[in-house]
Amino acid sequence: MLKIFNSYTRLQEQLEVDKKKTINMYVCGITAYDFCHIGHGRTFIFFDVVVRYLRSLGYALKYVRNITDIDDKIIAASLKNNESYISLSNRMISNMKDDFSALNILPPDSEPRVTENISDIIKFISILLNKKHAYVACNGDIMFSVSSYLNYGALSNQFSKILNKEINISHYSTKKNIADFALWKTSKSSIFVGWNSPWGNGRPGWHIECSSMCRSAFKNKIDIHGGGVDLLFPHHENELAQSVCIDSNFSIKHWMHTGLVIINNEKMSKSLNNTLLLRDLLTQYDSEIIRFFLLSTHYRHPLYFCYKNLSNSSKLLKKLYLSLRGVDFDIKGLDIVDNFKTDFYKAMNSDFNTPLALSILLRLSKEINKFKLIDSNKASQLASKLRQLGSILGILLKDPEYFLQNNFNCNNSIIGKINSLIYERDKARRVKDWVRADRIRKELLELGIVLEDTSFNTFWRSLQ
Ligand SMILES: Nc1ncnc2c1ncn2[C@@H]1O[C@H](COP(=O)(O)OP(=O)(O)OP(=O)(O)O)[C@@H](O)[C@H]1O
Ligand SMILES: [Zn+2]
């Protein structure tokens, strides 16, 4: 039985599902004003694994991941670029899609954008005003009143911290309580023209967007709501407050939050300008190496970015691919009895313990190597299993030969040289010229290339 840590109750709880096994999952997506970084990679690769795993268990999962395509930061960046906010956000959304597809992140079933949901958002704000959960501030903005919702602070566990804070004088013009937040921001200058609303021209606040898009997608049945832990407060706290105040039957079964990617002791983030971009990393490392690295820390822990761990992931993934090399994936057999699959599922059922799941794959690869020497059929069957389990994590999807050769950093002319030396060595071996064959092997070794002879072919791989 799958157990998931619920950030609301702070307990590991069994995933509750209906008879039809449907699961609705909403994850907060990017604010599109810059390129995606490794922090995004971590959060969205993790939720991609949640999607793959739940589907592998037979659940009918619907995945919605929104996009914030209008926001203060988008406006500021577009003004700086001398570009319209629409053009900037479209460009960044398209870049995100390229990066995510290069990382083999499955596209969500739906990807709503704020600008396509303005009328729903206006309806929601009107309901909150009618129910007296919101008020018009002196500057014309519509504010949510946190003191109108008794359970405010329960998700992020900050009741007293927030509500007892003295209100700062600078906030008197807009807020009754320090924690009150904007639902609708009226246009204060002519630079940006927003949307018409009963409260004048303006645009929505960040938190109301997700209440609205989540509800449009799933009404009242949200099984999993996710995002990075930086969103727990205030974004998710505020989103929950709004949604419950709009409809008292609203609830979210499981809140899931990923730990942050940290660099130089700070959250990696666009606004802190300390990002390592996914697209840059993808020029240096295979997408599966990046996935392996990001999944080798449990999703709730912080992940300290470090090249040493990335290259260690590269070595471990190569080990997995080496065990897949030279086996026959067409050999079908009964699902052989072994503990690997059971152990893998046990690890994943324990709040998605991907580091443990990866270690089980490494154990399985050792077993394959052992059987390659004594029972090639069994080795092939185990290799198919390794591939199948790997695919749940979105790895081991490539042809082993392609992976191992492409992760040797060299250009086409060197690969041409390697192949022609192997050809020459084969010729020498056929005429039993062992001295020449050995000399060529040594020459290749000096180039950092290791040869592996099997009964039907010679394979090569990099020494690193
Ligand atoms: N360093 C990080 N580690 C893990 N997840 C992250 C990290 N940064 C952002 N995320 C997650 O990615 C999603 C989109 O985040 P967003 O576009 O706001 O990025 P950001 O870099 O935090 O931007 P900003 O600095 O403008 O807040 C959210 O679910 C967020 O929690
Ligand atoms: Zn959100």
Side-chain angles (χ1 to χ4, degrees):
M1 264 297 167
L2 173 57
K3 286 198 163 178
I4 300 180
F5 183 85
N6 184 350
S7 315
Y8 192 97
T9 57
R10 292 168 274 282
L11 294 171
Q12 281 213 17
E13 293 167 353
Q14 208 164 295
L15 177 73
E16 280 175 38
V17 274
D18 56 22
K19 282 200 184 116
K20 286 187 183 158
K21 292 186 92 179
T22 58
I23 295 184
N24 293 336
M25 179 165 90
Y26 182 94
V27 175
C28 291
I30 64 155
T31 302
Y33 69 95
D34 206 343
F35 293 103
C36 287
H37 54 76
I38 303 162
H40 298 128
R42 189 207 198 170
T43 289
F44 298 115
I45 285 174
F46 171 68
F47 283 107
D48 179 60
V49 167
V50 172
V51 170
R52 289 169 188 265
Y53 185 60
L54 292 179
R55 288 187 180 147
S56 84
L57 294 177
Y59 294 115
L61 178 119
K62 191 170 171 210
Y63 178 26
V64 175
R65 189 183 66 205
N66 76 291
I67 294 173
T68 299
D69 59 350
I70 180 68
D71 174 86
D72 290 345
K73 290 173 190 164
I74 299 179
I75 297 168
S78 68
L79 289 174
K80 206 165 141 198
N81 282 4
N82 212 3
E83 181 180 15
S84 75
Y85 83 89
I86 300 173
S87 145
L88 174 65
S89 58
N90 279 341
R91 210 158 47 77
M92 290 308 161
I93 291 166
S94 150
N95 289 327
M96 171 197 78
K97 287 188 177 168
D98 291 346
D99 294 345
F100 285 9
S101 118
L103 283 165
N104 201 14
I105 296 175
L106 299 171
D109 298 296
S110 152
E111 209 163 29
R113 297 183 187 195
V114 175
T115 54
E116 294 162 354
N117 284 274
I118 300 291
S119 62
D120 273 359
I121 293 172
I122 291 175
K123 260 187 240 154
F124 271 39
I125 299 174
S126 304
I127 297 174
L128 289 170
L129 273 166
N130 289 340
K131 290 186 159 185
K132 310 261 179 290
H133 288 296
Y135 58 92
V136 184
C138 303
N139 65 357
D141 287 358
I142 308 298
M143 306 296 291
F144 183 88
S145 165
V146 294
S147 54
S148 73
Y149 173 56
L150 290 181
N151 227 3
Y152 189 80
L155 170 62
S156 55
N157 202 15
Q158 336 217 352
F159 300 93
S160 50
K161 255 191 269 166
I162 309 160
L163 296 176
N164 296 338
K165 223 176 182 179
E166 281 283 297
I167 184 154
N168 184 310
I169 195 82
S170 63
H171 289 116
Y172 273 135
S173 64
T174 51
K175 297 185 181 194
K176 291 182 184 165
N177 184 302
I178 186 77
D180 291 352
F181 53 90
L183 297 168
W184 188 261
K185 299 181 178 184
T186 46
S187 299
K188 314 275 185 322
S189 86
S190 56
I191 301 174
F192 175 74
V193 180
W195 291 264
N196 282 328
S197 79
W199 321 288
N201 198 280
R203 62 194 168 76
W206 175 30
H207 317 298
I208 193 71
E209 302 163 358
C210 281
S211 282
S212 162
M213 288 185 277
C214 186
R215 196 178 165 85
S216 303
F218 296 133
K219 299 250 166 7
N220 239 342
K221 176 180 158 30
I222 297 104
D223 300 287
I224 298 175
H225 190 318
V229 73
D230 55 325
L231 302 188
L232 185 58
F233 183 82
H235 184 54
H236 288 161
E237 189 72 60
N238 293 353
E239 187 190 327
L240 183 61
Q242 296 160 155
S243 300
V244 175
C245 288
I246 287 163
D247 173 359
S248 55
N249 291 321
F250 181 89
S251 75
I252 282 167
K253 282 193 193 142
H254 302 271
W255 282 97
M256 293 182 77
H257 291 98
T258 48
L260 299 179
V261 171
I262 307 289
I263 190 156
N264 299 331
N265 291 323
E266 271 185 323
K267 173 198 165 193
M268 184 180 289
S269 87
K270 302 193 293 264
S271 48
L272 292 173
N273 212 7
N274 61 1
T275 56
L276 275 170
L277 302 185
L278 287 172
R279 54 190 43 220
D280 292 340
L281 209 62
L282 278 161
T283 62
Q284 301 165 53
Y285 295 91
D286 184 277
S287 57
E288 291 195 5
I289 296 174
I290 299 174
R291 283 186 81 105
F292 192 110
F293 164 68
L294 293 173
L295 294 172
S296 53
T297 298
H298 188 268
Y299 78 90
R300 287 197 285 117
H301 295 169
L303 192 152
Y304 297 88
F305 180 79
C306 135
Y307 280 104
K308 198 168 142 237
N309 292 347
L310 195 51
S311 80
N312 194 39
S313 295
S314 162
K315 281 187 195 139
L316 296 175
L317 186 60
K318 277 182 196 167
K319 276 192 183 171
L320 294 181
Y321 267 111
L322 278 170
S323 68
L324 293 181
R325 173 184 247 180
V327 302
D328 185 353
F329 288 111
D330 289 332
I331 290 188
K332 301 269 180 293
L334 294 172
D335 199 14
I336 42 180
V337 181
D338 63 75
N339 290 327
F340 295 107
K341 189 170 171 182
T342 321
D343 290 351
F344 180 90
Y345 277 77
K346 226 192 249 172
M348 294 297 281
N349 280 345
S350 170
D351 195 24
F352 301 96
N353 192 339
T354 54
L356 185 59
L358 286 169
S359 74
I360 291 157
L361 298 189
L362 284 158
R363 212 160 27 87
L364 175 52
S365 76
K366 276 193 190 153
E367 191 80 348
I368 297 169
N369 294 339
K370 198 173 87 193
F371 277 102
K372 270 183 180 171
L373 304 171
I374 50 175
D375 180 347
S376 59
N377 273 7
K378 177 142 186 189
S380 294
Q381 286 170 314
L382 287 171
S384 296
K385 178 158 289 180
L386 175 57
R387 247 196 163 169
Q388 184 210 335
L389 297 178
S391 72
I392 293 174
L393 303 178
I395 58 169
L396 304 179
L397 303 168
K398 298 181 177 169
D399 172 54
E401 214 46 45
Y402 173 88
F403 177 87
L404 291 164
Q405 295 187 2
N406 278 280
N407 285 292
F408 171 64
N409 294 333
C410 63
N411 57 33
N412 285 343
S413 74
I414 298 186
I415 292 185
K417 182 169 177 188
I418 294 167
N419 287 335
S420 75
L421 282 169
I422 290 176
Y423 176 75
E424 287 303 319
R425 179 172 168 270
D426 277 351
K427 264 194 346 199
R429 273 157 47 102
R430 259 181 266 127
V431 296
K432 298 195 171 27
D433 184 351
W434 308 121
V435 176
R436 178 162 163 69
D438 272 357
R439 208 182 319 119
I440 295 175
R441 179 192 275 279
K442 263 195 198 151
E443 193 178 330
L444 281 162
L445 198 58
E446 276 157 20
L447 285 174
I449 300 300
V450 183
L451 297 184
E452 282 171 12
D453 295 315
T454 68
S455 51
F456 58 94
N457 212 341
T458 297
F459 294 107
W460 68 265
R461 67 177 166 87
S462 77
L463 189 58
Q464 309 126 357

